[in-house]
Amino acid sequence: MVQSTSINTLVTSRSSVVCVSNDEWRRNLGQTRETRVVFGARRKCFCPFGGRSAYFTGLPFNRSKSLRAQAGWLFKGNDKGSELDASCEHSESVNEDILMFFFELDLATRVQYALNVEQYEIAQQLRNKLTEVESEVIKLQEIRRGSASKSEAQDMAIRILRLRADLQNAIESENYNLAAELRDKISKLEAKSLAASVKAQAYENSHYAYRLGQKLKHKIFGYQAVICGMDPVCCESKSWMDGANVEKLTRGPDQPFYQVLVNVQEDPNLLVAYVPEENLVVPDKQDTKDKFDHPYASFLFYGMDSAGDFIPIKQLRDKYNQPRHELPYNQDEDGKDA
């Protein structure tokens, strides 16, 4: 029974759920690294990031009662000079993207709970908050993942046409200094427009070698990883790409990059990484009994399939527009199920 009518806290007999207030949410939209998300339940996992802390507990995503992993975020940097280690592929933006996704899931769950207990006013307020969050997340995704690149390229094309008209007028009036400046502006805009068009086209024609939930191995650092997100090209900042030596990759930044969960038993300090496709490989032998521990796994996946890979939740598949993976139906020579 709901004991509190406040939108910020819903108290049940089993747990309490805390919702970030509107003012805090707006402030955090401008500085995502300070976002705090709390899911109410018995099981708790502490994960510090960006100077702040996020606590996750099982309910309402209580899919694995046995999960009690605890992981810290310790980005040590590169202490080996020019020699890279696994931390070079650590990405705070990836971790924040996952936390945003958790926040959306949590709000949607609380909306449904409020409806179930007939707290319609609270449900409406929560739904309004969820709509606000979803619209902001969509904007961030469009900027990060190239949907905005298409419109950006179109806007630059229009600006180039106008500059060309101004250039023609400057030449006809023999104002050659102005014509030279306009020509330089056109050249820079054409380069930016081409880059934006290539990025937008990459998203429209994206093809991935791996899928959500697939269990892979890092080709260089050897740790076990599970895919929880994907981009057709590298969407990190230039400083991150410089630190990860992306330009030295065989396929460079214009290849799929994957958000992966790192097995905390193998590397407890990395937690989440942003890995190029060429650095991931399918293990030679997949043992379904191999234990993969990660504090985010029970929130993003239903569990494991018979092949040992993870089954992504529907919301995660919808986020990346990925189909449900069906295992092949095998029969033995006598026509019986294998």
Side-chain angles (χ1 to χ4, degrees):
M1 179 176 180
V2 175
Q3 300 175 348
S4 172
T5 58
S6 168
I7 186 175
N8 292 327
T9 307
L10 291 175
V11 182
T12 72
S13 60
R14 294 182 60 190
S15 63
S16 64
V17 181
V18 181
C19 176
V20 180
S21 66
N22 278 326
D23 292 339
E24 186 177 354
W25 170 245
R26 292 193 184 96
R27 183 176 71 251
N28 288 338
L29 285 177
Q31 190 173 4
T32 314
R33 294 182 183 180
E34 294 185 3
T35 301
R36 291 183 301 134
V37 184
V38 182
F39 300 154
R42 304 169 183 172
R43 190 180 71 241
K44 182 172 72 173
C45 172
F46 172 66
C47 179
F49 70 101
R52 292 286 178 172
S53 301
Y55 293 85
F56 300 101
T57 49
L59 196 69
F61 308 105
N62 190 15
R63 295 191 177 92
S64 176
K65 295 183 180 179
S66 63
L67 178 66
R68 294 187 180 276
Q70 183 177 40
W73 191 274
L74 299 173
F75 181 39
K76 299 179 180 179
N78 187 1
D79 298 330
K80 300 180 181 180
S82 59
E83 192 177 329
L84 295 176
D85 59 19
S87 64
C88 72
E89 292 179 340
H90 150 73
S91 173
E92 275 193 17
S93 65
V94 167
N95 193 51
E96 290 164 1
D97 184 62
I98 296 173
L99 297 182
M100 284 286 202
F101 181 64
F102 289 163
F103 192 24
E104 286 184 89
L105 291 178
D106 185 51
L107 277 175
T109 302
R110 277 181 279 157
V111 169
Q112 187 58 53
Y113 178 80
L115 290 173
N116 291 343
V117 296
E118 299 182 356
Q119 294 288 336
Y120 301 117
E121 184 178 349
I122 293 178
Q124 184 59 49
Q125 294 177 48
L126 287 168
R127 187 180 287 112
N128 293 339
K129 187 183 292 290
L130 177 60
T131 301
E132 178 186 347
V133 172
E134 288 175 340
S135 62
E136 292 298 330
V137 168
I138 289 172
K139 290 178 183 177
L140 292 174
Q141 287 178 347
E142 286 179 347
I143 293 172
R144 185 173 184 268
R145 293 180 178 159
S147 297
S149 297
K150 189 173 183 179
S151 59
E152 183 183 358
Q154 292 171 346
D155 291 341
M156 283 190 285
I158 294 173
R159 290 175 59 190
I160 290 171
L161 290 175
R162 291 174 179 170
L163 286 174
R164 287 190 182 280
D166 293 339
L167 175 61
Q168 185 61 35
N169 292 333
I171 293 174
E172 290 177 356
S173 61
E174 298 183 358
N175 189 344
Y176 299 116
N177 289 333
L178 177 59
E181 292 178 5
L182 290 171
R183 190 163 48 245
D184 291 341
K185 287 182 179 180
I186 290 172
S187 298
K188 291 178 181 179
L189 270 178
E190 286 176 338
K192 291 181 179 179
S193 177
L194 178 61
S197 298
V198 169
K199 188 175 182 180
Q201 189 174 10
Y203 273 88
E204 291 177 357
N205 304 320
S206 58
H207 174 72
Y208 301 100
Y210 307 119
R211 64 181 185 277
L212 290 172
Q214 189 169 3
K215 195 183 293 182
L216 302 169
K217 184 178 180 181
H218 199 289
K219 185 187 297 184
I220 298 173
F221 304 125
Y223 60 73
Q224 195 178 38
V226 173
I227 294 176
C228 65
M230 50 188 62
D231 297 315
V233 294
C234 184
C235 295
E236 269 288 357
S237 64
K238 185 179 184 302
S239 60
W240 185 93
M241 287 193 279
D242 290 342
N245 281 350
V246 171
E247 292 297 334
K248 294 184 179 180
L249 294 170
T250 304
R251 296 165 60 186
D254 297 326
Q255 63 174 304
F257 273 67
Y258 296 87
Q259 299 180 10
V260 301
L261 306 182
V262 179
N263 192 340
V264 296
Q265 291 187 348
E266 298 181 15
D267 193 331
N269 299 324
L270 189 55
L271 198 66
V272 175
Y274 196 50
V275 186
E277 190 170 82
E278 68 179 69
N279 282 351
L280 292 171
V281 293
V282 178
D284 294 333
K285 292 183 179 180
Q286 184 95 306
D287 189 350
T288 57
K289 295 181 180 180
D290 283 347
K291 188 172 179 60
F292 184 92
D293 279 340
H294 198 283
Y296 296 170
S298 64
F299 304 122
L300 296 172
F301 307 106
Y302 291 122
M304 285 200 304
D305 59 26
S306 59
D309 293 319
F310 282 83
I311 305 170
I313 62 175
K314 183 180 183 300
Q315 295 92 327
L316 187 62
R317 288 191 286 108
D318 291 343
K319 178 181 179 180
Y320 292 99
N321 194 28
Q322 294 296 304
R324 179 176 177 177
H325 176 67
E326 299 287 350
L327 289 175
Y329 181 72
N330 295 325
Q331 291 184 333
D332 59 19
E333 295 179 356
D334 297 329
K336 297 180 181 180
D337 292 347

